[in-house]
Amino acid sequence: MQVRTLRWIMFAALCGSVIVAVSATLLFAWRSLNAPMTIAAGGDTLDVVPGTSLTGISDELSRRGILEMAWFLNAYARLSGDAKRIQAGEYLISSGTSPRGLLDQLVSGRVYLYDLTIIEGWTFADVVAALRNHEAVDARGFDPESVMAELGDPELHPEGQFYPDTYRFPRGTPAVVVLRQAHQAMQDLLVEAWGEYRATTVLETAYEALTLASIIEKETALSEERRRISGVFHRRLERGMRLQADPTVIYGLGNDFDGDLRRADLTRDTPYNTYTRSGLPPTPIALPGQQSVSAAVDPAPGSELYFVATGLGDGSHYFSTTLDEHREAVARFQSGTPLAGTSEQ
């Protein structure tokens, strides 16, 4: 009887030891899964190519000294089923990330997103160059000539069609995908703005509003001047006066423009020369921002018909109602060839 009792005591003690050991191991594993990994302050990158297993990922991280006890992570992922749900992509592992946090990041596909900022006043050519030079954009096979067809508007000129903003995307994103986001954003803005336009005697379509907005964008960088300049252009269009906007002339010169706008350029006829041709140019000349689009459909009231750059270094313009006043302002602010921003009949 005593022997049997002793055996039970020894068995119970052994089971207890096993339970304690297993519990301790599980507790240690759980704490390891939730403890921050060894990651630099700026984070570490991890490139997961399609078909990579979690074991391969954990082995790589172990070799890099980021992950300890890789088998804990592997075992946990197998038990939870997450080992088969890893998504490919480029990841940034932030400082303080735990193995469980990393697994959740890999399963949810929270890949690293790159930024591309399209600047107000850029031309479509500038956007194309930025896309082609961006390290994360896939520009292989990208054809600017056919981009509007890919976006569903084959008859539409690409100039002015993309909203200036910062766009975020993972590595390998095709250039046309970025442009699709920017084009949709511009269309949404234009639809909203055109719905608020009331001066129906001047602009007849939303496209004309976009074209005018692009000229306003190139004429001034001062937000407080945009509606005022829009008012000048609206009144000139109403009266049948030519816009005589230097930025349209420059756009029409294309690669022939050397940075110095001369009087001879103002008489050189192109479809975009608003000194030689009446009305708006055939297409926008740049990518306007929200303020310029809003100004195009909400011109400031007044009687001013002219403006000239003051040359004061703050980007400001002097506005005039009469041609004589304008000529006096030009003489006062400028000498020689007029600076960009002059509007003179």
Side-chain angles (χ1 to χ4, degrees):
M1 182 68 179
Q2 292 179 346
V3 174
R4 181 178 298 177
T5 300
L6 182 59
R7 287 176 177 174
W8 275 108
I9 292 174
M10 293 176 62
F11 178 73
L14 178 62
C15 289
S17 299
V18 171
I19 292 173
V20 170
V22 171
S23 298
T25 301
L26 291 176
L27 179 60
F28 178 71
W30 185 253
R31 287 178 175 174
S32 297
L33 287 171
N34 290 278
M37 295 181 290
T38 306
I39 302 171
D44 279 296
T45 59
L46 174 66
D47 190 17
V48 179
V49 299
T52 303
S53 66
L54 179 62
T55 300
I57 294 171
S58 58
D59 287 346
E60 177 187 344
L61 295 177
S62 295
R63 288 193 300 270
R64 291 165 57 180
I66 295 175
L67 177 65
E68 298 180 3
M69 302 295 183
W71 72 272
F72 284 161
L73 178 61
N74 294 335
Y76 174 80
R78 291 192 186 96
L79 289 173
S80 64
D82 286 341
K84 296 181 179 180
R85 293 198 286 266
I86 302 299
Q87 297 190 43
E90 183 182 15
Y91 293 86
L92 176 65
I93 312 173
S94 302
S95 177
T97 301
S98 67
R100 279 190 68 214
L102 173 61
L103 181 61
D104 179 66
Q105 185 178 355
L106 296 175
V107 170
S108 61
R110 296 197 303 272
V111 297
Y112 179 75
L113 299 179
Y114 290 82
D115 292 342
L116 172 65
T117 300
I118 297 177
I119 307 297
E120 296 174 350
W122 271 9
T123 63
F124 178 59
D126 294 325
V127 178
V128 170
L131 288 168
R132 285 177 168 164
N133 292 328
H134 198 287
E135 61 174 314
V137 173
D138 182 1
R140 294 172 298 179
F142 173 54
D143 180 14
E145 299 296 328
S146 62
V147 67
M148 296 312 301
E150 291 191 59
L151 297 180
D153 290 306
E155 303 302 321
L156 197 60
H157 194 282
E159 196 64 80
Q161 294 299 321
F162 306 97
Y163 181 61
D165 202 353
T166 296
Y167 297 91
R168 306 190 70 202
F169 47 86
R171 178 180 290 278
T173 298
V176 70
V177 172
V178 180
L179 288 178
R180 181 172 285 110
Q181 295 179 53
H183 178 55
Q184 187 60 56
M186 181 60 86
Q187 292 302 302
D188 293 343
L189 172 63
L190 197 57
V191 168
E192 181 180 357
W194 184 244
E196 300 174 356
Y197 184 58
R198 297 293 179 267
T200 54
T201 58
V202 177
L203 305 178
E204 297 183 354
T205 65
Y207 189 75
E208 289 186 350
L210 180 64
T211 300
L212 179 58
S214 73
I215 302 174
I216 297 170
E217 186 68 55
K218 297 299 288 186
E219 285 284 12
T220 183
L222 302 181
S223 58
E224 62 269 22
E225 286 192 347
R226 291 190 172 99
R227 291 185 62 240
R228 201 171 178 183
I229 287 178
S230 178
V232 169
F233 286 144
H234 269 80
R235 285 185 286 277
R236 293 180 75 92
L237 288 169
E238 261 186 329
R239 301 183 184 199
M241 299 170 65
R242 292 175 181 173
L243 295 184
Q244 297 184 318
D246 290 3
T248 65
V249 178
I250 293 171
Y251 186 85
L253 293 174
N255 293 331
D256 290 340
F257 180 62
D258 61 4
D260 184 14
L261 189 63
R262 302 172 177 84
R263 290 190 181 277
D265 297 324
L266 302 182
T267 60
R268 179 178 171 183
D269 185 51
T270 75
Y272 292 88
N273 189 334
T274 53
Y275 280 83
T276 61
R277 301 196 183 197
S278 300
L280 292 165
T283 74
I285 61 170
L287 306 180
Q290 183 173 6
Q291 289 187 352
S292 292
V293 173
S294 296
V297 299
D298 185 25
S303 57
E304 298 156 338
L305 292 170
Y306 312 90
F307 59 90
V308 61
T310 64
L312 299 177
D314 59 358
S316 63
H317 293 79
Y318 182 86
F319 293 79
S320 303
T321 299
T322 67
L323 181 57
D324 288 341
E325 180 188 3
H326 174 65
R327 285 173 173 167
E328 181 181 347
V330 171
R332 183 164 67 248
F333 292 121
Q334 301 177 171
S335 62
T337 302
L339 297 176
T342 302
S343 177
E344 181 178 357
Q345 184 172 343

